[in-house]
Every structure is written in structure tokens, then in C-alpha cells.
Amino acid sequence: EVQLVESGGGLVQPGGSLRLSCAASGFTFSTYWMHWVRQAPGKGLVWVSRIKSDGSITSYADSVKGRVTISRDNAKNTLYLQMNSLRAEDTAVYFCTRDRDLSTWGQGTLVTVSS
Amino acid sequence: QSVLTQPPSVSAAPRQKVTISCSGSGSNIGSNYVHWYQQLPGAAPKLLIYDNNKRPSGIPDRFSGSKSGTSGTLGITGLQTGDEADYYCGTWDSSLSVVVFGGGTKLTVL
């Protein structure tokens, strides 16, 4: 069974940092582009970042560029999102998802930025 | 606001049909595939339609998709109360080099 499981969310103060993880199983992780998508409470889906299967290409939404870094460890079948200089508007559930059509989604991990 | 435009809400009675539109531009829908996602209350999104009109395994044929020019449409027939959810369209934007979504459409089955 294809599965994505996010972790690492929590409460962080403005200006703080957090690293999210996404553990993949049930498919050949190293052959897929992976993405992070977020959803603020009561709001719609917003794409955050993507990374190529071998990690050689990354891209980011303007709203997080310079503050967020996506990475992956294909040996550990794990996707990461390092988030720095967090702001209140980064508060959201963060989902990892795979492939160009975002075919499989994790359950999400909640990040709350508040003092 | 979202790059892709969807109606905020639609409603219909059980067993009826409904369509949800998704309007974009030449750099997104006009030159890339449209995908549709269903998000049930309290759940993660799920891929419903990919590549304009294809259904993943396990998605009933009550759900269909189409694309014309810079717009995509999701159709649902034989509505059930279990179809009440938020529906999102999404695609790649070749000019912005980002994935873009519609703002979401809340379906109510009356």
C-alpha cells in the first residue's frame, strides 16, 4: 500500500524554525517528484515546494522562498521541509504528496506559529 | 486570490448531477493537464481525476472530468450525501513554474 506519513509539526514562536518529515512506503520513492502543500485553517490548498526524484531540482512558492528548504533522503525514503523565520501566516496543515498529479497524500501535520 | 477560479459552492439534490468549473489561463490549464481533488471533512485531499479526464483506480465512474481551452470541468452524477466535500482543481503553471490550485468548491447534497 502506498503511504505517506508526515511528522514534525507543532507550536513554534514567530521567527522560530521547524523541520517536517514525510516517510514514504509502498512505492519506489527515489523515482518520484515530491511536493509539500499546505492548508491554513478553513482555507484552500496552497502549493509550497517540490523536489525532483534525485534531489537535483527544487522550486518554491514566492511566499516561502528564502525561508524554506526542501530536501530528501532516498536511502531513508524520507522527504523533508526545513522551515525558518516562521510567521503567523505559515500556520497550516502541511501535506506531502507525490508525482506531477499529486496522486497520493499524507494525513498532514499541523504547524502553529504563535507567541 | 487563487490563480484558478472555481465557484465557492454548488448544491444539488441526491441522485441529481452537478458540474464544477475551473477557469484558468493559457499558461496553466491552457497548456497543462487539469487534476481534481476531493477533500472530505477533516480528511486529506484525494486525487479524483487526473490528466483532464482519467479516474484513478477505485474512483467510481459517477465522477468525470473534461477540459476545453483554458477551463476544466468536474462532473458528478447520481449524487450521494457522502459526496459532500470540498473539491479543488489543480495544474502546473508554466509561466510561474509552480503548482496552482483553485480556491475550492464546497458541494452540498441537499
Side-chain angles (χ1 to χ4, degrees):
Chain A
E1 178 194 6
V2 174
Q3 197 169 14
L4 298 170
V5 178
E6 301 91 338
S7 61
L11 175 63
V12 60
Q13 292 189 338
S17 299
L18 215 53
R19 188 177 85 154
L20 307 183
S21 300
C22 170
S25 60
F27 65 101
T28 307
F29 178 73
S30 61
T31 64
Y32 284 86
W33 283 78
M34 296 295 294
H35 304 253
W36 287 98
V37 174
R38 70 184 182 184
Q39 185 172 36
K43 302 296 185 182
L45 302 175
V46 177
W47 178 82
V48 174
S49 180
R50 68 169 188 165
I51 185 168
K52 192 179 177 182
S53 53
D54 62 358
S56 61
I57 298 174
T58 60
S59 48
Y60 301 91
D62 284 346
S63 59
V64 302
K65 203 171 291 184
R67 301 187 298 120
V68 161
T69 302
I70 190 172
S71 63
R72 64 192 297 161
D73 186 335
N74 286 343
K76 294 183 177 180
N77 290 339
T78 303
L79 174 72
Y80 301 101
L81 189 70
Q82 177 66 45
M83 307 174 67
N84 301 324
S85 302
L86 283 163
R87 308 166 180 167
E89 53 265 37
D90 295 318
T91 294
V93 174
Y94 285 73
F95 298 99
C96 65
T97 177
R98 70 166 187 169
D99 214 352
R100 61 176 183 80
D101 54 5
L102 311 185
S103 58
T104 304
W105 296 65
Q107 85 289 349
T109 187
L110 176 62
V111 172
T112 303
V113 184
S114 175
S115 55
Chain B
Q1 46 270 45
S2 304
V3 173
L4 306 180
T5 301
Q6 298 179 234
S9 63
V10 295
S11 62
R15 297 180 299 280
Q16 298 303 304
K17 64 180 179 180
V18 70
T19 60
I20 298 173
S21 60
C22 176
S23 178
S25 67
S27 64
N28 43 65
I29 293 178
S31 50
N32 295 287
Y33 289 119
V34 181
H35 315 299
W36 290 91
Y37 307 91
Q38 177 193 60
Q39 187 174 31
L40 295 169
K46 179 176 78 172
L47 180 65
L48 200 60
I49 297 288
Y50 69 99
D51 293 358
N52 302 333
N53 55 18
K54 299 180 174 63
R55 282 177 287 106
S57 174
I59 301 299
D61 59 7
R62 300 189 298 108
F63 296 91
S64 63
S66 64
K67 172 183 147 178
S68 178
T70 59
S71 292
T73 301
L74 173 69
I76 311 173
T77 60
L79 281 169
Q80 303 173 2
T81 55
D83 296 331
E84 288 199 331
D86 293 321
Y87 293 84
Y88 295 89
C89 58
T91 187
W92 179 254
D93 191 298
S94 303
S95 293
L96 301 174
S97 294
V98 299
V99 172
V100 292
F101 292 102
T105 299
K106 183 176 183 61
L107 168 63
T108 300
V109 180
L110 303 168

